[in-house]
Amino acid sequence: MKAYFWILLTHSLAVHGFVSRKWPTTGVRRTQRSAVVADISEVELNYGLVPAPSDLAAWHEAGRDGSLAVSSALSMAGVLAQLWAAVADETSREMKTILFPECAELGEKDSLPRLLTHLETCKDLCEKFGVTIQVFPVDPRAPANHPAHGPVPGLILRYFGESKLFSDDDDDDWDNDWDLDEDVLAEIRGAEEEISMEGVNAKELEAMSQVPEGDQAVVAISKDWVTAMIADMGVCPFTTSSEKAGLPLGQVHYPVSRLKDSESMYAAYWHEVALLESAPQRSLSTTLLITPEFGLTNPEFFMQFSDTLTSPLEPLGLENSIQLVFFHPRWVFRDGRERGGVDSAGNFARRSPFPMINILRTPQVRIAQKAIPTGLVYQQNEETLGELGSGPLQKMLIDRDWGGLKEFHVDRKSNELYDTAQKLVEKYASMSQDATQEKKQEPPVEPEAKPSADIDSMDIDAMLQAMENLESVRTSGQ
């Protein structure tokens, strides 16, 4: 951690009224050295000695206002889930201190600065966070006399009054020369509306904006689309149905969030990430978070929001755990390739009935990429979708009826490695089903009569090794 970080932080704390307060730090058991060193980056925390809850409570009572929460979060995703839940909670506006003694990741070098940098990018999309709600760090690496110093890593939420950029008295000083002509304003509004309506007319937009009242109906429509477009047509090579996906096959989770503000949606998203991290891979393979009322009519906002979810994966060390794919009724690819713009049929590989955030397990993504390169997946999807044309695909999306896809399938058979990997998926699914059926038989089947459990017991690491072996054999010509 660089020394200038604490200089800037001290300035920020002073601006928000923190530095004038002195908090005692003596008498509290620490997780690291007691002496202050010149280069804080040389300090390594010892998480073998976690302060007792009573010690943390005593530290808080000695010099902090508001409430204290001691989190059991073990990962960065858990930290963000609890932070955003606190931000979105409007039942209390008292200062909140959240400590994370169990999260070793948060104590690693530069973790807190990287976390705060990520949170800065979120402020532009939030209504209150960054304006009336500010976040400050608690860090054992800070100098002992610094207001950010604490026994374990943590975060402080502080609330401020509603801010106004200009007072009412400033109206008298307004320069009328800056007033825009109504014709100019109308032209600007028209241009903005044209951008928001790009690729869709008003009637289509109204139809696509209809959201069923019940969550079950939202999930049913979403599953119909996944079955027809993603699984049966084959847009995703390793999705076998709306219920099963991934390598090895596991359950697909369909949570629905009707929240409309960014703060609450961040909380819902990070909750699902933490849930996926903690769940067994076969009981929860992937999550499709459906947000039917968040960014539905504003695809650009949804894409900006998605950028704030993908950008922290690498700096926060999450890229080895999760990967993200986004879907929206008006999705347009922005990866730099020539895809024909907003009217390209290839965009419909990502055009879903509602906005969705697909949370994937990184090891499963790596298996898929070894079986078939991502670029080839895009190319084959575009070719098949191009045969249908954007007109019929748009009608299916508006009607939410994908029956017209039954005769179309993405052909992956020319890829030998994918074909072998697909057989591995089918074998795994078949043997898992056989094993389940045999468990239900009476009397119990003798061990020697059971099918081989080699594939059934194979975990992600073993499958990655199997894929590497398959590719080695294929490329060597054996």
Side-chain angles (χ1 to χ4, degrees), residues 40-350:
I40 301 174
S41 64
E42 297 177 355
V43 180
E44 296 297 333
L45 302 182
N46 178 10
Y47 276 83
L49 298 174
V50 177
S54 58
D55 289 340
L56 297 177
W59 166 80
H60 181 267
E61 291 174 2
R64 305 270 174 169
D65 295 328
S67 63
L68 170 67
V70 179
S71 172
S72 60
L74 299 174
S75 67
M76 193 67 75
V79 169
L80 284 160
Q82 184 149 358
L83 170 65
W84 283 109
V87 171
D89 182 10
E90 297 184 354
T91 59
S92 173
R93 289 179 57 83
E94 69 173 352
M95 185 187 301
K96 299 183 179 75
T97 300
I98 310 173
L99 299 179
F100 302 96
E102 305 293 337
C103 183
E105 295 177 37
L106 200 59
E108 293 177 356
K109 181 180 178 181
D110 291 344
S111 287
L112 269 171
R114 287 196 297 267
L115 175 60
L116 295 173
T117 298
H118 159 61
L119 294 175
E120 283 294 321
T121 66
C122 300
K123 291 179 179 179
D124 290 341
L125 299 180
C126 293
E127 181 179 348
K128 297 180 180 179
F129 183 65
V131 180
T132 60
I133 305 174
Q134 297 287 346
V135 64
F136 302 93
V138 176
D139 194 343
R141 295 178 185 274
N145 60 350
H146 195 283
H149 182 82
V152 296
L155 296 166
I156 299 172
L157 288 179
R158 189 174 183 186
Y159 297 80
F160 299 88
E162 298 293 335
S163 62
K164 294 182 67 176
L165 294 178
F166 303 101
S167 67
D168 295 335
D169 296 335
D170 291 335
D171 290 342
D172 295 337
D173 298 327
W174 179 257
D175 187 349
N176 291 329
D177 291 339
W178 287 96
D179 287 345
L180 294 178
D181 185 90
E182 284 299 324
D183 292 338
V184 176
L185 288 173
E187 185 176 345
I188 293 174
R189 295 190 189 103
E192 292 175 345
E193 184 176 353
E194 184 177 347
I195 293 174
S196 67
M197 296 281 289
E198 187 176 10
V200 62
N201 59 46
K203 186 177 181 180
E204 291 176 339
L205 183 61
E206 182 179 0
M208 294 165 62
S209 302
Q210 300 302 311
V211 179
E213 293 184 1
D215 289 351
Q216 289 184 345
V218 170
V219 172
I221 293 171
S222 301
K223 285 185 175 182
D224 287 345
W225 172 76
V226 171
T227 298
M229 176 70 75
I230 307 300
D232 292 350
M233 184 177 174
V235 165
C236 176
F238 296 105
T239 298
T240 59
S241 70
S242 62
E243 304 293 340
K244 296 281 188 178
L247 274 170
L249 282 173
Q251 293 289 333
V252 181
H253 180 41
Y254 291 88
V256 177
S257 174
R258 293 180 179 268
L259 301 168
K260 298 180 180 180
D261 62 287
S262 297
E263 289 90 339
S264 298
M265 191 54 64
Y266 281 126
Y269 162 75
W270 285 110
H271 169 79
E272 295 301 333
V273 173
L275 178 63
L276 184 72
E277 281 189 345
S278 63
Q281 60 193 26
R282 291 187 179 113
S283 63
L284 204 174
S285 176
T286 184
T287 294
L288 206 59
L289 174 58
I290 309 169
T291 65
E293 298 184 34
F294 183 80
L296 177 61
T297 60
N298 191 340
E300 191 60 34
F301 173 80
F302 182 78
M303 291 180 182
Q304 291 174 358
F305 182 82
S306 70
D307 288 341
T308 67
L309 303 185
T310 55
S311 60
L313 294 184
E314 189 276 330
L316 296 185
L318 295 164
E319 77 280 9
N320 290 326
S321 300
I322 65 166
Q323 296 293 314
L324 301 174
V325 176
F326 302 93
F327 300 93
H328 191 279
R330 294 163 61 192
W331 182 270
V332 178
F333 278 103
R334 304 176 299 168
D335 58 3
R337 292 187 57 195
E338 179 56 52
R339 296 183 182 272
V342 70
D343 295 324
S344 171
N347 292 316
F348 284 86
R350 295 280 193 91

Side-chain angles (χ1 to χ4, degrees), residues 433-442 444-445 450 456:
Q433 184 177 7
D434 290 344
T436 301
Q437 291 175 350
E438 293 211 10
K439 288 179 183 178
K440 296 179 180 179
Q441 292 181 1
E442 294 292 343
V445 179
K450 292 183 180 179
D456 187 50

Side-chain angles (χ1 to χ4, degrees), residues 408-470:
F408 293 86
H409 303 279
V410 180
D411 181 15
R412 316 263 189 208
K413 294 181 180 179
S414 58
N415 184 296
E416 297 177 16
L417 188 59
Y418 167 74
D419 187 53
T420 305
Q422 190 63 38
K423 290 177 181 177
L424 186 65
V425 174
E426 293 169 358
K427 184 177 181 181
Y428 172 80
S430 175
M431 295 184 70
S432 297
Q433 184 177 7
D434 290 344
T436 301
Q437 291 175 350
E438 293 211 10
K439 288 179 183 178
K440 296 179 180 179
Q441 292 181 1
E442 294 292 343
V445 179
E446 294 297 322
E448 58 268 23
K450 292 183 180 179
S452 170
D454 290 344
I455 301 296
D456 187 50
S457 62
M458 189 176 290
D459 60 13
I460 285 181
D461 291 335
M463 280 199 167
L464 272 170
Q465 184 61 52
M467 291 300 300
E468 290 176 359
N469 294 341
L470 287 169

